[in-house]
Amino acid sequence: MPEGPSILILREDVQHFAGKKVLATEGNTKTIDISRFLNKKVIEFKSWGKHFLICYSGFSVRIHFLLFGSYAVDTPKDRVPRLHLRFSNGDIFFYSCSIKILEGDVNQYYDWSGDVMNVDWDKKKAKKKIRENPDMMVCDTLLHQDIFAGVGNIIKNEVLYRIRVHPESINQKLSEYKLNNMIREARQYSFDFLGWKKQYVLKKHWLAHTKKICVRCKGPIIRKITGKFERRSFFCPHCQPLYD
């Protein structure tokens, strides 16, 4: 599943289509009428967490890439796209994604301060939401898009390894220091992820995700399905204490 930093890269990749009219549409989506975009000018591209937004006058298109979604600019992949938009200066193709129309002003749908990579990110709001969920596991907290929009499983695993917290720890058992550290690192690692992704060296910087040996204590990294979301966690049981 593309995480927040990957959606920001997509937003940057398509900026040259902003202000352009859609000249042709096609795709196998059954959930929307793609002819609605014809001859409509793209006002801007926005993102919120894992949502990519194509904004027109009076409505927006929300793209969610789910687990296996992807996109291509100008050069299509060898399969039928869910949605294809053609402009005078190129094309965008979306694959294996969820597509939805958001009527009216896009700002009514999103709290931009909940996106860890947005300039309006509000860490105080994040802490308040965590405090309102005292019995939630931290592995679920970091993946909760109403708290940390844009954080995905890779970021979750790497943040918890950085701050030395077991993924099955409970929110209310974290010290104030650990809680603040988790909130700070969720944002910091997201921007680290973005920089490494652009340089094509992201995987070289993984310390826990998909790893087998802890670089700190040389003990084994454990792989386990954790939390309500049942996602893969990679953690060191020695370096990451369980706060339960």
Side-chain angles (χ1 to χ4, degrees):
M1 176 188 293
E3 305 190 25
S6 297
I7 303 303
L8 279 186
I9 291 173
L10 164 58
R11 198 177 76 189
E12 293 174 2
D13 286 346
V14 300
Q15 281 304 313
H16 56 293
F17 299 127
K20 301 293 184 179
K21 285 186 178 181
V22 176
L23 302 181
T25 62
E26 61 179 352
N28 62 11
T29 180
K30 305 298 183 185
T31 59
I32 62 171
D33 177 10
I34 61 176
S35 66
R36 184 175 181 181
F37 313 142
L38 279 175
N39 298 312
K40 296 291 194 305
K41 182 187 294 185
V42 174
I43 304 301
E44 64 177 328
F45 297 102
K46 297 175 75 71
S47 62
W48 180 86
K50 301 175 185 179
H51 295 183
F52 176 66
L53 303 161
I54 307 172
C55 303
Y56 300 89
S57 177
F59 71 98
S60 297
V61 181
R62 188 203 74 182
I63 307 288
H64 191 301
F65 290 98
L66 307 173
L67 285 176
F68 303 108
S70 62
Y71 72 94
V73 177
D74 293 336
T75 304
K77 299 184 179 183
D78 188 22
R79 60 180 184 271
V80 178
R82 189 63 49 83
L83 177 64
H84 168 204
L85 301 178
R86 173 162 294 166
F87 302 88
S88 61
N89 58 341
D91 303 78
I92 313 175
F93 304 87
F94 299 100
Y95 303 90
S96 303
C97 57
S98 168
I99 305 175
K100 183 178 180 180
I101 299 291
L102 305 180
E103 301 288 355
D105 184 356
V106 70
N107 293 297
Q108 69 182 310
Y109 294 92
Y110 294 102
D111 175 6
W112 305 107
S113 67
D115 182 337
V116 296
M117 303 192 75
N118 194 285
V119 293
D120 293 324
W121 160 252
D122 190 332
K123 63 182 180 181
K124 291 182 179 179
K125 281 188 179 181
K127 181 184 284 191
K128 182 176 182 294
K129 292 174 183 177
I130 294 171
R131 293 300 194 198
E132 291 170 352
N133 292 275
D135 298 322
M136 186 181 290
M137 289 184 182
V138 295
C139 59
D140 288 331
T141 301
L142 282 166
L143 293 178
H144 200 303
Q145 296 303 290
D146 285 340
I147 304 175
F148 293 105
V151 169
N153 208 45
I154 296 171
I155 296 174
K156 176 207 77 179
N157 287 327
E158 292 297 313
V159 165
L160 292 176
Y161 185 80
R162 278 188 174 191
I163 68 172
R164 298 175 181 251
V165 172
H166 191 290
E168 294 177 314
S169 297
I170 305 301
N171 284 341
Q172 65 179 326
K173 297 298 182 180
L174 294 186
S175 66
E176 192 74 8
Y177 171 78
K178 286 292 185 183
L179 178 58
N180 289 336
N181 210 11
M182 182 172 74
I183 294 170
R184 181 177 62 252
E185 286 296 336
R187 180 172 169 85
Q188 180 59 54
Y189 190 85
S190 294
F191 280 100
D192 290 344
F193 183 122
L194 177 64
W196 295 327
K197 181 91 172 173
K198 287 182 175 181
Q199 297 171 35
Y200 303 99
V201 295
L202 175 61
K203 291 185 179 181
K204 293 181 180 179
H205 291 273
W206 289 351
L207 299 178
H209 190 71
T210 73
K211 300 301 181 180
K212 296 182 179 180
I213 301 297
C214 175
V215 297
R216 288 190 293 238
C217 72
K218 309 307 178 185
I221 292 285
I222 303 299
R223 176 190 182 277
K224 183 180 180 182
I225 302 299
T226 61
K228 178 182 68 176
F229 294 129
E230 297 185 334
R231 300 297 303 279
R232 293 186 306 163
S233 286
F234 294 87
F235 60 94
C236 174
H238 175 72
C239 294
Q240 294 174 249
L242 177 63
Y243 299 91
D244 65 346

